[in-house]
Amino acid sequence: MEHSKYRIYTVMAVMCAAGLVLIGQLVRWQVVEHYRFVAWAEAEHQDELVIPSRRGEVRDRSGYLLATDLIEYDISVSPKIVSDPPVTADRLDALLDMSREEILQRLTSKKPWVPIAGGVSQSVGETIFEWDLTGLQVEPRPKRVYPEGHLGAHVLGFVNNNGNGFYGVEGYYDTLLRGKPGLQAGERSPFGEMIPLAVSHFVPPVSGATLYLTIDRTVQSLVQQELENAVRQYQAQGGSVVVLDPKTGAILAMAGYPDYDPNTFSVSDNSLFADPNVSEQYEPGSVFKIITMAAGLDAGVIGPEGIIYDGGLIEIGGRVIYNWDRQGHGNVDMTDVLAKSLNVGAAQVAMALGKDRFYTYVKRFGFGRLTEIDLENEGPGTLKTPKDATWHESDLGTNSFGQGIAVTPVQAAAAIAAVANNGLLMKPYAVQRITNGERSVEVKPIVVRRVVSADTAHTLTNMLVNALKRANSQALLPGYQVAGKTGTAQIPVPGGYHPTLTLTSFGGYLPADDPQVMILVIIDRPSTSKWGSQTAAPTFNRIAEQMVVLLDIPPDDVRLAQAGQ
Amino acid sequence: MSSNTMISLRPENVIRQLPWRLDSKAALGFLLLLATFSLVGWLYLSQASAVTTTSYRIDELRVELDQLKNQNASLSLEIAELEALSRVEARARDIGFEPTTGFEYLPVTHYPMPLESEATLYGATHIESSIDAYAVEVESPGWWVEKLDAFAAWLESE
């Protein structure tokens, strides 16, 4: 009797426990996790379809297409629901570049989903889509195409397979270019189709904006061609060129060599992607004497006809600075300092200025900070000032002729352009207009600041013109007054500078009295000559000679005669 | 049971005498209700049908619009590829054009033309003589003009 009572209690206890578990689970499902199950149930028959937006185009200043999206199709299959694989294979065989056996093998695969072909052309993709075959999926996929190939590759950048823009304007304006994807949400049938009468929500996609660059494709092509020729002719390792309108800061052309074709970026060397004109820094060498001279003239510590004595060397902060030819040139005026590119003269100007004023001017010209050009991956360069622990007294001397300071080509170009533009530093920019449907936004030139007075700028321009004439520079262009300066910089290596390799440059503008174009040429490690006067200057000349025709800049006498009429 | 109770077997009497006979007003009401429901049902179904049809049509048009946009982009690309500088340059060289070198600028009197009315500035005689000079030039095109025309014709034919 006692034993049976015990068994009844045991059964009751087990049943109570089971009942409690059951009640507990019901409470969990009905109360605690109510929303989760509701959401789960809704997800079973509610569907959200993201409609991709169309990426905007990129065009040059005249409207020529430089980048656009081409639609390709990916074809895939769910083999289990294909109604008649052999017939489907026959139809696909006629369009796809695959054998019938291969297609049939995929159509009859045991897997739930199998890709058949990727990157199929638009006409083929649309034909298959219109067949509306059960089990076949035809998905459109945009592919970024650059019809001009290499042209302006560094300025443009590229778009990867996931639709993300990198480098150049593709990277900088990625958000604007990609637009906003649309959304189609609603109840779907067991076949996966939206139920028309159910509550639905549709947000149309917004296409990306179209960018009109300041780049002129003809000028860009000329610059790229001449740069490539120069790199080959002087057996250099590379080079870069910046061409801008000094009055606005608009980039007319910007090239780096070697470059790549953005259509095939995936098989290109990654190191070629960054634009050397905005991302890489270099020691500018004697081109920087333009800045030192501008500062000296503006501060009034020197005059254009002021005479200094060049003994061939000068000691600053315990370091002896020599001229490039290790010679003394005696009494020279400031134009001679530029014409003969005398380091000793530039160092004397910097010393006369003093470290505070010198670096104030250097910063005003925009060195050591971003120009804020609208291209991705811009670097600020490297500028040591007396406030930095690593700065040394001798840096004042070496910086005066562009050694021990690193700048980006676009910084150097913008700074020289400021002298051409009556002392006003303009913000360089690569996009002149952004349009989206009916709306259009013009990008206005931005004055960053006045770096020197207009009088200083005019005086320095005349000095630069005369300096080129005195030096009988190869940059001179018959019929035009050219202002500019060569540079030959040693290449820094760990522990000092490379004994033989140089980076040569020429920065100049024309016509000197009314500058229309500023050109900076940089040749990296030329082998035939290590001097800027024999490599970068003639390259400048060749570019300028053709550019005046492209930009319709008549010779000075013709232009002045026209202006006088 | 009363013996004088008469039961008529005529159909109208049978119906009239049925216990469940409906009142004529109630029947009318019922019919009206039925008609209303039918009308509403018909309206709903016809609207639903129209909405469904329109919805599918919108979807089709959306797809068509997308395809047209794609075709448009494809044609723009084709034009851009045909206009690509490298291609134009190669074809120009093929038909005998060379890069321009050795420019010589000739100052031309009164060029560009002033914005003011020519008649005011020079008088009618001057304009006529200018037009005559231009007409003579057009009538005898030089080798260069012929080449340019040939190039323009080739571009158009492309």
Side-chain angles (χ1 to χ4, degrees), chain A residues 538-552:
Chain A
T539 307
F540 171 94
N541 173 274
R542 285 192 292 271
I543 292 173
E545 184 185 25
Q546 297 168 74
M547 198 168 289
V548 291
V549 178
L550 293 178
L551 298 181
D552 198 17

Side-chain angles (χ1 to χ4, degrees), chain A residues 376-565:
Chain A
E376 201 180 52
N377 261 18
E378 191 194 0
T382 305
L383 172 67
K384 284 189 292 180
T385 65
K387 288 178 184 170
D388 295 310
T390 53
W391 185 83
H392 187 265
E393 201 71 29
S394 63
D395 286 333
L396 178 63
T398 54
N399 287 175
S400 70
F401 54 90
Q403 201 175 62
I405 178 174
V407 306
T408 61
V410 75
Q411 272 180 344
I416 298 167
V419 178
N421 188 34
N422 296 323
L424 290 175
L425 180 69
M426 305 300 293
K427 180 183 159 185
Y429 62 101
V431 170
Q432 65 170 6
R433 187 153 48 100
I434 301 168
T435 61
N436 202 345
E438 301 283 305
R439 290 180 301 166
S440 178
V441 178
E442 292 285 338
V443 178
K444 301 288 180 199
I446 294 174
V447 179
V448 179
R449 71 184 75 83
R450 175 167 286 286
V451 290
V452 290
S453 70
D455 283 346
T456 300
H458 293 154
T459 305
L460 182 54
T461 294
N462 289 333
M463 288 168 67
L464 290 168
V465 169
N466 292 329
L468 288 182
K469 286 178 183 168
R470 283 188 202 180
N472 196 23
S473 171
Q474 293 188 51
L476 290 171
L477 187 63
Y480 297 85
Q481 296 266 42
V482 178
K485 180 77 189 79
T486 52
T488 303
Q490 289 177 288
I491 293 178
V493 291
Y497 285 90
H498 196 282
T500 54
L501 295 177
T502 58
L503 193 144
T504 66
S505 57
F506 185 93
Y509 48 92
L510 74 160
D513 62 312
D514 182 21
Q516 304 290 314
V517 62
M518 185 275 149
I519 306 168
L520 176 68
V521 178
I522 297 169
I523 308 288
D524 187 10
R525 284 165 272 194
S527 301
T528 56
S529 166
K530 67 175 185 176
W531 303 111
S533 56
Q534 292 168 3
T535 53
T539 307
F540 171 94
N541 173 274
R542 285 192 292 271
I543 292 173
E545 184 185 25
Q546 297 168 74
M547 198 168 289
V548 291
V549 178
L550 293 178
L551 298 181
D552 198 17
I553 306 171
D556 292 347
D557 55 348
V558 176
R559 180 171 50 86
L560 294 172
Q562 282 177 2
Q565 280 177 19

Side-chain angles (χ1 to χ4, degrees), chain A residues 13 16 18 66 79 299 347 360 460 494 510 564:
Chain A
C16 283
L66 299 178
T360 300
L460 182 54
L510 74 160

Side-chain angles (χ1 to χ4, degrees), chain A residues 54-60 63-68 144 173 176-179 207-213 431-437 439-441:
Chain A
R54 216 166 263 275
R55 193 174 177 89
E57 294 173 342
V58 181
R59 293 175 178 270
D60 88 334
Y64 287 105
L65 192 64
L66 299 178
T68 190
R144 200 65 164 165
Y173 289 100
L176 264 180
L177 281 167
R178 64 168 63 225
S207 297
T210 295
L211 305 181
Y212 286 84
L213 304 186
V431 170
Q432 65 170 6
R433 187 153 48 100
I434 301 168
T435 61
N436 202 345
R439 290 180 301 166
S440 178
V441 178

